[in-house]
Amino acid sequence: MLNDPRSHGLWEKTAPPPPATGPLAGDVSADVVVVGGGYTGLSSALHLAEAGTKVLLLEANEIGFGGAGRNVGLINAGMWVMPDDLPGVLGPVHGERLLELLGDAPKLVMALIEKHGIACELERNGTLHCAVGSEGLKEIEERARQWGKRGAPVTVLDTDETARRVGSSAYAGALLDMRAGTLQPLAYVRGLAHVAAKAGVVIHTSSRVTATERNGGRWIVKTAGGSVSADWIVVATDAYSTGPWAEVRQEQVHLPYFNFATVPLGDNLRGSVLPGREGAWDTKEILSSFRMDQAGRLVFGSVGALRNTGLAVHKNWARRSLKKLFPQLGDIAFESEWYGKIGMTDNALPRFHRFAPNVVGFSGYNGRGIAPGTVFGKILADHILGRVSEADLPLPATDPREPGFRALKEMWYEAGAQAAHFVGARD
């Protein structure tokens, strides 16, 4: 996208094409206008259209341009925050409501993929949260305890079983979460676009929203090429927000994250690295993630941006780290490289905003966009359809607020990750 191979990397090379779309031209009307062509926007549009609502979706760039087309592809349950901490942050009602919703969110993703036959390399074999040292082991044991008392199918694996499943003896154990899985993220969001279009959603790409205004109880949403009149607006632009809802981006600190994909592994190596094809990540503060794609490529990533001096530093670190983690791979070549932005809120939890009458949206997925984005899109559709009142939503309505020192924190994250990987590559 944008003639930049580092924007979407392997995912753009291997994803099926999106539906044919073009910019909005002229003045049209709909019941609901959805702004944003990622998981939340397309899920909302699809579920609205299936209920008979006339929906038009506007995407500033291309389907999956933002985090939906750049992430690792882990279908995680829950959020980064420990389960027992949510009621303390959100209150007992919203805290438990959000836990239940997001704990089951992967089920909706997998059900949509099965129902509509979306070709996106779905794997249902769970994820592995790999413990680094004794402190990492304590962390995953506590997380397992908290999820376990809520009936979640999570298991702490010992060192030997972790080594067997990962293909490396680097970890003290791992938390296996059988609710979770992996997919090809850009293929999934493009698949949602195809399904939504088939259900009647009109999709316009290259249609950045420039302004909105209220006119006789309806909203006028303007782009460079035309306008849409609608009763409702769904704001689904999240960390890549610009224009009228730039405040959504401004309440999030951008954490850069990169991935490298190896060439496809031979059959002998595929059997020794993640043979069960679980997605994995570790407990380090500057974490690493790794998973296999359907063709046997190992996708390996961490915090950082592949630009300026960061490109060489992170690539050198990735080569050395991968060789240390999986010595059986030797000096394997990288086939693709890309990076994007993770939007982090100040409490690492998502937000629900009512920007104006009949203008609503969820945002702030903190690196967990696939399952939450899909389920929040459905929740927005149910809310607009009158099936879920605002009082019954999984989050309270809040006003966007910019965290202190946002720009400085973003500079620190990028520079700090580069410094850590520079030192790590020399070890």
Side-chain angles (χ1 to χ4, degrees):
M1 297 186 191
L2 301 181
N3 295 316
D4 181 1
R6 292 197 187 103
S7 67
H8 295 74
L10 174 67
W11 304 142
E12 189 164 26
K13 289 174 61 177
T14 60
T21 58
L24 176 67
D27 301 325
V28 297
S29 66
D31 298 324
V32 180
V33 58
V34 175
V35 184
Y39 304 129
T40 305
L42 284 162
S43 175
S44 181
L46 170 61
H47 287 98
L48 284 165
E50 287 181 330
T53 305
K54 184 178 181 182
V55 185
L56 188 143
L57 185 144
L58 299 173
E59 162 57 42
N61 297 288
E62 298 179 42
I63 297 299
F65 174 82
R70 307 176 193 231
N71 66 82
V72 180
L74 304 181
I75 317 169
N76 283 309
M79 301 298 290
W80 287 106
V81 177
M82 283 284 190
D84 285 358
D85 291 343
L86 262 70
V89 177
L90 297 174
V93 175
H94 287 103
E96 292 297 337
R97 193 180 289 167
L98 185 65
L99 274 172
E100 182 177 357
L101 180 74
L102 296 187
D104 289 337
K107 290 181 182 177
L108 177 62
V109 175
M110 296 175 188
L112 284 173
I113 291 168
E114 283 197 350
K115 176 182 177 181
H116 300 289
I118 298 175
C120 60
E121 304 185 16
L122 174 64
E123 296 284 354
R124 295 173 166 271
N125 295 340
T127 54
L128 297 167
H129 191 183
C130 301
V132 178
S134 59
E135 289 303 310
L137 187 58
K138 290 178 184 177
E139 177 187 335
I140 65 167
E141 286 175 339
E142 180 59 19
R143 192 176 291 275
R145 184 191 70 79
Q146 293 183 20
W147 274 121
K149 71 181 183 181
R150 292 176 168 85
V154 297
T155 308
V156 176
L157 308 179
D158 64 20
T159 305
D160 291 341
E161 180 63 9
T162 299
R164 187 188 73 79
R165 287 177 178 264
V166 174
S168 171
S169 59
Y171 301 112
L175 176 62
L176 173 63
D177 189 340
M178 290 306 298
R179 298 170 295 181
T182 65
L183 50 66
Q184 210 277 30
L186 185 58
Y188 172 54
V189 73
R190 286 181 173 179
L192 283 177
H194 278 286
V195 174
K198 187 177 180 180
V201 178
V202 177
I203 301 174
H204 290 290
T205 51
S206 300
S207 299
R208 186 179 303 276
V209 174
T210 57
T212 64
E213 65 180 44
R214 194 78 158 144
N215 183 8
R218 283 172 66 84
W219 286 100
I220 307 299
V221 181
K222 299 179 181 180
T223 72
S227 69
V228 187
S229 171
D231 296 319
W232 284 83
I233 302 174
V234 170
V235 179
T237 47
D238 201 30
Y240 288 77
S241 294
T242 60
W245 301 287
E247 58 194 328
V248 175
R249 182 271 181 264
Q250 291 163 1
E251 79 167 342
Q252 301 182 51
V253 176
H254 277 179
L255 182 75
Y257 201 90
F258 65 80
N259 283 288
F260 291 96
T262 70
V263 297
L265 307 185
D267 291 341
N268 59 327
L269 290 176
R270 289 192 207 186
S272 71
V273 177
L274 293 172
R277 306 183 77 85
E278 302 94 343
W281 72 100
D282 63 33
T283 59
K284 290 182 180 178
E285 185 174 359
I286 301 178
L287 63 84
S288 301
S289 60
F290 46 98
R291 45 86 43 110
M292 301 287 286
D293 84 336
Q294 201 168 61
R297 301 177 183 90
L298 182 60
V299 179
F300 185 63
S302 185
V303 179
L306 302 183
R307 59 185 176 191
N308 304 323
T309 56
L311 175 58
V313 168
H314 297 311
K315 183 178 285 189
N316 188 34
W317 170 85
R319 285 194 179 110
R320 293 176 66 92
S321 296
L322 202 58
K323 193 171 183 179
K324 185 177 180 180
L325 187 61
F326 301 110
Q328 64 268 41
L329 298 182
D331 294 314
I332 193 165
F334 291 138
E335 179 181 299
S336 301
E337 55 194 40
W338 70 101
Y339 74 102
K341 307 165 186 174
I342 298 174
M344 305 292 294
T345 58
D346 55 9
N347 64 357
L349 291 174
R351 304 279 196 267
F352 168 70
H353 296 312
R354 187 188 342 97
F355 299 93
N358 288 13
V359 183
V360 293
F362 285 99
S363 58
Y365 298 144
N366 297 275
R368 296 258 172 132
I370 296 174
T374 303
V375 76
F376 281 145
K378 183 179 185 301
I379 290 289
L380 288 170
D382 288 342
H383 178 54
I384 290 169
L385 293 167
R387 298 170 179 171
V388 177
S389 70
E390 187 170 306
D392 293 326
L393 291 176
L395 288 166
T398 55
D399 295 325
R401 64 181 188 277
E402 184 170 351
F405 307 104
R406 177 177 58 82
L408 186 62
K409 289 176 182 176
E410 291 178 350
M411 292 173 59
W412 170 250
Y413 285 146
E414 183 167 348
Q418 189 174 148
H421 286 164
F422 177 76
V423 173
R426 298 172 65 187
D427 291 342

